[in-house]
Amino acid sequence: MKLRRSLVVAAAVAVVTPVALFAATPALAAGTPTAQTQNQPTYAELVKAATDTKKAYDEAVTAEEEGRKKVDATLESLNSDTHPLKAAAVTAKKAAKDAADARTAAEQAVSDAEDALDAAADDTERAEAQKALETAEAELAKAVEAQQKADTAAEAAQTALGDARVAAVREYGVVKDTLDKALKAKEAAEAALAAAKECVRENGLTSLVVGLPSKVVAGSTVDFTLRVTNGTTRTLSVDPLAFFHVVGEGADVKSQLAVEWSNGSGWQALPSDGPTHIAHIDVMKPGERSDVNLRMKVGPEAPAADAFALLAGDASDAYNPCVLGPMKRYDFALLPAGSEPGTVDEAQPGRPDEDDDKRPDTAKPGTDTGAGTGTTGAGTSAQGGTSEQTVTTTTAESGSLAATGASSTTTLALTSALTAALGAGAFFTARRRKTADNA
């Protein structure tokens, strides 16, 4: 691996490292004004950041592995006597030792010459001894100079060898530092994305039933409306949620209730085995509302029983793939065929039981929910039959009508399949819940 590659990886990390700032941003709390989200990264940006940092990290891992192999090979090579730098260092070290030995020998020769001079018996011997001493001192000076040069050369050769080792380790250090930074960036991006996936509650996203009677006689059919209102400050993509159940009916028993909702061109059956998303609304601006037409047929053999309906709105926006509106429960009574119900009021909304407030986990964030497309509001019809719809929405404040396009896709943070078990008036399903402070 070349250093250039490690620098390329480092540059990639530098581009995505700012995502670490996202990790410091908490998930949006329920009711957060839109103005406060303007400086927040969108969910799509967080997904991209997580993808980019993961890619940069994977590249950094590969670069680190290659860098480790290279530094190990380089150090092993530098430790071999056949490497030019190591061979030069060995030769220079031997030359320095030889020069030191030569100097020691020259110093001994001077000492011997001095002894001979001291032992001279006459002028002739002293003259010869003096000449020998001068020669020895001259040789010693040469030996000292030669040793200094040899020591300098040996030090230079050793420095060159050490520099090569340091350079190899330093190059690997750059790659290792890049890996560390890439890991931190990836973890920060993943943490930010995980925080964004947390479901938030919006009490302003309401789902209410209009026209559902509190008593229904077996064998009859009733028409009513599900009214979804976006009373939040968010522009949402909404999937209304509906469930109707007779208390005591088990999952293996055909329900006495047959509930359908209109997509404008026909009626769609509402499953009886658990909460189901219906009538997807792709864009619902603050203050808008949509009506979904429903009808309920009660089997002619239905005995007297208690029943209930659960309604809610699941949604998403640019910042949160999972936004949950409050669930409402409507209790109503089933009367045997031929009963005289007398004056019948509309069923009134109430708080759901603890085991009621469940949501189906049908899709991952940013993917098709599989929710059926439909038309809300009376008199509107589907365009193309199934994939597109025209949703009639009413601005709650002004009562004016507006048309918004809707498709069969949404970005709800719902990740696993619904598991339902019905019986004895309660049902139990899986649902992602928000943290305790938003529960």
Side-chain angles (χ1 to χ4, degrees):
M1 180 204 69
K2 295 183 179 180
L3 179 59
R4 182 178 67 179
R5 172 163 183 181
S6 67
L7 294 178
V8 170
V9 176
V13 174
V15 171
V16 295
T17 296
V19 75
L21 297 176
F22 299 161
T25 302
L28 296 178
T32 302
T34 303
Q36 295 183 20
T37 66
Q38 292 177 351
N39 295 325
Q40 303 289 346
T42 66
Y43 182 73
E45 290 171 340
L46 292 177
V47 171
K48 184 178 186 303
T51 300
D52 290 346
T53 53
K54 174 63 165 58
K55 180 180 179 181
Y57 173 73
D58 290 342
E59 291 178 354
V61 169
T62 300
E64 189 276 337
E65 292 173 351
E66 294 177 358
R68 183 184 296 274
K69 293 177 182 177
K70 179 179 179 181
V71 70
D72 288 345
T74 299
L75 294 178
E76 183 179 359
S77 176
L78 289 170
N79 287 333
S80 171
D81 289 342
T82 60
H83 192 283
L85 292 178
K86 180 64 179 294
V90 171
T91 299
K93 183 177 181 180
K94 184 177 184 304
K97 183 179 182 303
D98 292 343
D101 292 343
R103 175 177 176 172
T104 299
E107 288 174 344
Q108 185 61 47
V110 170
S111 178
D112 292 343
E114 289 175 342
D115 291 342
L117 180 60
D118 291 340
D122 51 33
D123 291 341
T124 300
E125 289 182 0
R126 279 196 296 273
E128 291 177 354
Q130 181 63 40
K131 185 176 180 179
L133 176 59
E134 291 173 355
T135 300
E137 289 175 340
E139 292 299 323
L140 176 58
K142 292 178 181 180
V144 170
E145 182 179 0
Q147 183 190 14
Q148 291 174 341
K149 290 181 178 180
D151 287 345
T152 300
E155 182 178 356
Q158 190 61 40
T159 299
L161 179 61
D163 287 347
R165 289 170 174 158
V166 170
V169 174
R170 182 179 290 121
E171 181 177 331
Y172 170 72
V174 172
V175 179
K176 182 63 169 64
D177 184 59
T178 297
L179 176 60
D180 294 341
K181 290 179 179 179
L183 176 59
K184 291 179 180 179
K186 181 178 80 74
E187 290 175 343
E190 290 172 345
L193 183 59
K197 286 182 179 180
E198 288 294 324
C199 292
V200 296
R201 290 187 180 272
E202 278 286 8
N203 291 331
L205 177 60
T206 60
S207 300
L208 301 176
V209 166
V210 179
L212 176 66
S214 59
K215 299 176 184 178
V216 184
V217 177
S220 65
T221 299
V222 294
D223 295 305
F224 53 98
T225 300
L226 169 61
R227 177 162 295 164
V228 181
T229 303
N230 182 6
T232 76
T233 58
R234 306 170 184 260
T235 295
L236 299 172
S237 176
V238 182
D239 282 274
L241 188 71
F243 177 61
F244 289 75
H245 181 60
V246 178
V247 175
E249 283 188 345
D252 56 345
V253 177
K254 182 179 180 180
S255 178
Q256 292 293 336
L257 299 182
V259 183
E260 299 174 315
W261 62 277
S262 174
N263 67 359
S265 62
W267 290 93
Q268 308 291 318
L270 189 68
S272 61
D273 58 354
T276 303
H277 290 133
I278 63 174
H280 172 74
I281 307 166
D282 197 52
V283 178
M284 195 172 195
K285 296 180 180 179
E288 290 184 341
R289 77 184 183 202
S290 284
D291 287 347
V292 184
N293 295 327
L294 296 100
R295 67 185 181 188
M296 180 175 65
K297 300 177 183 179
V298 183
E301 303 299 325
D306 292 327
F308 63 88
L310 299 174
L311 292 309
D314 288 353
S316 65
D317 65 8
Y319 302 94
N320 294 90
C322 182
V323 179
L324 304 179
M327 180 174 283
K328 295 297 182 181
R329 172 170 173 148
Y330 290 79
D331 290 292
F332 57 95
L334 300 184
L335 304 180
S339 298
E340 294 292 337
T343 301
V344 179
D345 297 324
E346 288 191 14
Q348 297 300 308
R351 294 175 61 87
D353 293 341
E354 180 179 355
D355 292 327
D356 291 339
D357 193 4
K358 310 291 183 180
R359 306 290 170 97
D361 297 339
T362 56
K364 294 181 179 179
T367 63
D368 193 336
T369 63
T373 59
T375 301
T376 62
T380 56
S381 61
Q383 300 176 5
T386 57
S387 63
E388 296 293 330
Q389 62 176 330
T390 299
V391 181
T392 301
T393 59
T394 303
T395 302
E397 297 176 353
S398 65
S400 62
L401 294 177
T404 58
S407 67
S408 61
T409 60
T410 188
T411 54
L412 294 176
L414 304 170
T415 57
S416 62
L418 169 69
T419 301
L422 302 177
F427 67 93
F428 303 94
T429 60
R431 179 200 180 192
R432 290 181 53 214
R433 289 190 175 274
K434 183 169 171 52
T435 52
D437 58 340
N438 284 319

